[in-house]
């Protein structure tokens, strides 16, 4: 830790006696420590210094803060650069707060530097003017990584399926107009036959299973086109990618299910006609909400965790998740729409 500025004694009416604040950048962090003066009661000693964002330096910072008797460390949510500071300092027994940058805006007209930002953050902390953001425990954070990775791979698989359909349109193969899912059993058999070199529309139509509603002649007409070796090569690449992503998604889903099983289980309330309490998982409980399926329930648990005590009221949870319940009179169904910028409660299509 390289000391860049020290000294400074001032009068303050603080609520938290020993605090530290970190203004975080990508490669370093500006730390401000404010503690009571040893010889002058009611006055504060402030020290500002810079530390690099490496594990060793952060652990050294933790030791220094513990020696100073710091009881609370506060930092802004700056991209993902706050995570090493938060998790390493927390592992050393320090109370860490992550705060929203909106709540720690500096006074307009004042110079804005890393040092001044760290001092301002420390002053707000010692006066109790900040609220901590929700940072889930490690098991929930790991579950969140799994669900977000699954969402990304699902989007990628959808994109490759769409590219496959466009490739068929380029070859004048109108398979998607007569089959609802060209990646089903019948559609996939036809695609594999096309890649293998089969060009006879009637032979391709014969691969359809009984669940296909289109007639044999309609299928043969839709399969009449100019599917060349180039299309076969591209289609093989796209299908292999779709298959690979499907395997990865299945692995993630299995890991998510296992993680949720280990995370928690709840007990359902006794209903009419039930003589005993029946165990029900958190995923099954959320699945009972209209508009929420098993996959969405897993995402909700990964984002907010199973412990609702971190939210004082239901209104706090709704405000944090920005949950909107919309009613469609025509369909007579209530749909739950979840969205939050920077969160994954409502995954968006990749651009």
């Amino acid at each position: 830790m390289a000391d860049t500025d020290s000294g400074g004694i001032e009068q303050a009416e603080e609520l938290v006696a020993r605090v530290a604040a970190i203004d975080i950048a990508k490669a370093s962090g500006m730390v401000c420590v404010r503690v009571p003066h040893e010889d002058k009661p009611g006055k504060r000693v402030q020290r500002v210094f810079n530390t690099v964002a490496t594990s060793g330096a952060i652990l050294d910072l933790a030791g220094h803060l513990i020696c100073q008797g710091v009881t609370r460390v506060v930092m802004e949510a700056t991209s993902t650069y706050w995570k090493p500071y938060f998790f390493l300092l927390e592992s050393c027994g320090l109370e860490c707060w992550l705060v929203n940058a909106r709540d720690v805006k500096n006074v307009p007209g004042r110079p804005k530097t890393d040092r001044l930002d760290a001092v301002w953050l420390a002053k707000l902390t010692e006066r109790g003017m900040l609220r901590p953001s929700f940072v889930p425990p490690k098991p929930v954070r790991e579950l969140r990584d799994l669900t977000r990775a699954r969402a990304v791979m699902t989007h990628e698989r959808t994109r490759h399926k769409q590219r496959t359909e466009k490739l068929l349109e380029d070859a004048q193969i109108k398979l998607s107009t007569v089959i609802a899912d060209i990646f089903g059993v019948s559609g996939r058999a036809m695609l594999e036959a096309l890649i293998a070199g089969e060009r006879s529309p009637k032979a391709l139509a014969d691969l359809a299973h009984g669940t296909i509603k289109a007639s044999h002649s309609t299928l043969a007409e839709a399969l009449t086109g100019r599917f060349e070796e180039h299309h076969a090569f591209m289609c093989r690449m796209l299908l292999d990618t779709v298959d690979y992503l499907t395997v990865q998604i299945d692995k993630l889903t299995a890991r998510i299910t296992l993680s949720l099983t280990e995370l928690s289980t709840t007990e359902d309330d006794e209903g009419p006609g039930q003589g005993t309490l029946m165990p029900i998982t958190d995923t099954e409980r959320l699945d009972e909400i209209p508009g929420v399926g098993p996959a969405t329930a897993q995402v909700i648990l990964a984002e907010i965790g199973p412990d609702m005590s971190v939210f004082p009221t239901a209104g706090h949870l709704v405000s944090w998740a920005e949950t909107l319940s919309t009613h469609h009179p025509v369909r007579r169904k209530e749909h739950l729409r979840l969205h939050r910028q920077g969160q994954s409660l409502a995954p968006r299509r990749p651009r």
Side-chain angles (χ1 to χ4, degrees), residues 128-318:
M129 299 175 65
L130 299 176
R131 296 178 301 173
S133 298
F134 170 56
V135 179
K138 185 177 180 180
V140 179
R141 295 197 301 264
E142 293 177 348
L143 177 62
R144 180 183 292 181
D145 289 339
L146 295 173
T147 56
R148 292 182 178 182
R150 183 179 63 178
V152 171
M153 291 188 180
T154 301
H155 292 163
E156 284 298 313
R157 183 177 63 178
T158 301
R159 289 180 62 246
H160 281 78
K161 288 183 176 181
Q162 292 170 344
R163 292 182 64 185
T164 304
E165 185 175 352
K166 290 180 180 180
L167 182 69
L168 294 178
E169 291 290 335
D170 183 70
Q172 291 85 50
I173 302 295
K174 300 292 185 178
L175 189 59
S176 59
T177 61
V178 293
I179 296 181
D181 182 13
I182 64 174
F183 293 92
V185 177
S186 299
R188 188 60 186 263
M190 296 174 188
L191 292 177
E192 293 292 346
L194 282 168
I195 295 173
E198 181 62 62
R199 297 295 181 264
S200 172
K202 293 183 179 180
L204 293 170
D206 290 337
L207 298 174
H209 288 251
T211 56
I212 301 298
K213 295 181 180 180
S215 63
H216 187 276
S217 59
T218 302
L219 286 171
E221 184 178 356
L223 289 165
T224 302
R226 294 188 176 182
F227 195 88
E228 301 174 351
E229 191 277 335
H230 167 72
H231 300 105
F233 175 80
M234 292 297 299
C235 190
R236 178 78 277 161
M237 295 283 291
L238 292 171
L239 292 181
D240 288 345
T241 304
V242 169
D243 292 340
Y244 171 77
L245 290 172
T246 299
V247 172
Q248 300 304 310
I249 291 170
D250 291 342
K251 289 181 179 179
L252 285 170
T253 300
R255 185 65 177 263
I256 290 169
T257 303
L258 178 62
S259 298
L260 284 171
T261 302
E262 296 174 348
L263 193 61
S264 68
T265 56
T266 61
E267 288 188 346
D268 196 10
D269 296 331
E270 186 174 353
Q274 291 181 340
T276 59
L277 294 178
M278 299 179 62
I280 180 174
T281 64
D282 294 332
T283 303
E284 293 170 339
R285 184 181 295 275
L286 289 172
D287 190 19
E288 297 175 352
I289 301 174
V292 175
T296 304
Q298 292 175 345
V299 173
I300 293 174
L301 288 172
E303 294 299 324
I304 66 178
D307 182 14
M308 295 296 99
S309 64
V310 297
F311 303 101
T313 64
H316 285 81
L317 172 59
V318 171

Side-chain angles (χ1 to χ4, degrees), residues 75-78 99-106 133:
M75 61 200 75
E76 287 187 34
T78 307
V99 296
N100 195 319
R102 176 187 58 191
D103 299 333
V104 295
K105 281 187 176 180
N106 213 328
S133 298

Side-chain angles (χ1 to χ4, degrees), residues 1-7 28-32 46-52 114-116 118-119:
M1 296 181 294
D3 193 353
T4 58
D5 186 35
S6 61
S28 62
M30 189 66 67
V31 183
C32 176
Q46 173 180 295
R47 181 167 178 252
V48 184
F49 55 90
N50 189 50
T51 181
V52 295
D114 293 343
R115 177 185 181 278
L116 292 178
V119 172

